[in-house]
Amino acid sequence: MKVLIDNGHGENTPGKRSPDGRLREWEYTRRIAGMVIIGLRNKGIDAERIVKEMVDIPLSVRCRRANTIYRETGGNAILVSIHCNAAGSGSDWLSAHGWSVFVSNNASVNSKSLAVCLGETAIKKDVFVRQPMPGQLFWMQNLAICRDTVCPAILTENFFQDNKEDVEYLLSDEGKLMVTQIHVDGIIDYLKKNKR
Ligand SMILES: [Zn+2]
């Protein structure tokens, strides 16, 4: 099984930062992606980033890369796209906060199962998980990176880059470790449940 990690956006993406400019989503998610890869490899799991460039790679290209690897592995890959949430345009501090996980509207059973594994992991770690309704851990949205990839695919929104407390947490060592571990432990849980 190969774990594909997608880090959202690039250095040329406009906006996508905290109002004080201390957190830039493209930079932060690349750092977390790197830590997740190391964490998975340390557990003997094959993992790689599908975007190694610093610039923004179009979604269509990212989907094509993931689908090529999925075919090469004989249908043995999953994809996790890592982001930070925002309630506004990034010019003001707002109050929305917490962690959430998304699948596409056309999500497979396996995509939903992967999302649940990460959501349950976050809850176990006492993280506030935003839910669309009680009893459902994942949100459904029309997301190209999940919709146009053939492998099980989810997207995580790791706290809000326009919430002051969330940004403090995200930038702390504790926060970076937590975001990393939600991914590493959640993915491992999914792989255990879906051994093949
Ligand atoms: Zn994003």
Side-chain angles (χ1 to χ4, degrees), residues 15-188:
K16 307 273 187 193
R17 67 183 74 191
S18 60
D20 60 5
R22 289 166 68 213
L23 188 149
R24 295 196 64 193
E25 186 180 1
W26 73 273
E27 196 174 44
Y28 189 81
T29 55
R30 266 169 184 68
R31 178 196 288 252
I32 296 296
M35 288 167 68
V36 170
I37 298 276
I38 290 168
L40 289 170
R41 286 183 182 161
N42 283 344
K43 301 275 186 182
I45 294 160
D46 186 12
E48 81 170 69
R49 282 163 58 184
I50 61 165
V51 177
K52 286 153 188 153
E53 298 89 342
M54 288 301 177
V55 292
D56 194 17
I57 300 298
L59 281 162
S60 58
V61 176
R62 288 193 258 157
C63 291
R64 210 177 310 137
R65 286 180 185 177
N67 288 340
T68 299
I69 297 170
Y70 184 69
R71 269 195 304 276
E72 284 168 359
T73 59
N76 229 347
I78 60 171
L79 177 120
V80 178
S81 185
I82 302 177
H83 292 254
C84 296
N85 218 337
S89 64
S91 48
D92 300 300
W93 293 113
L94 297 166
S95 60
H97 67 106
W99 185 93
S100 42
V101 61
F102 291 75
V103 298
S104 62
N105 293 326
N106 66 346
S108 64
V109 170
N110 284 340
S111 295
K112 291 175 185 170
S113 159
L114 176 58
V116 167
C117 285
L118 268 77
E120 284 177 347
T121 300
I123 287 173
K124 264 187 223 145
K125 294 178 184 298
D126 280 333
V127 164
F128 171 62
V129 176
R130 299 166 61 86
Q131 296 177 226
M133 60 184 99
Q136 187 177 314
L137 285 174
F138 53 80
W139 299 73
M140 298 184 79
Q141 237 178 47
N142 187 24
L143 300 165
I145 193 69
C146 297
R147 183 194 65 213
D148 299 338
T149 44
V150 285
C151 55
I154 63 169
L155 183 150
T156 60
E157 291 284 9
N158 296 278
F159 302 95
F160 281 74
Q161 56 193 323
D162 54 4
N163 177 285
K164 216 166 194 166
E165 286 77 39
D166 275 10
V167 168
E168 282 309 326
Y169 185 64
L170 283 166
L171 292 173
S172 70
D173 289 343
E174 189 197 349
K176 284 177 205 146
L177 206 63
M178 177 62 83
V179 173
T180 303
Q181 281 311 121
I182 292 171
H183 290 83
V184 172
D185 293 356
I187 289 166
I188 288 172

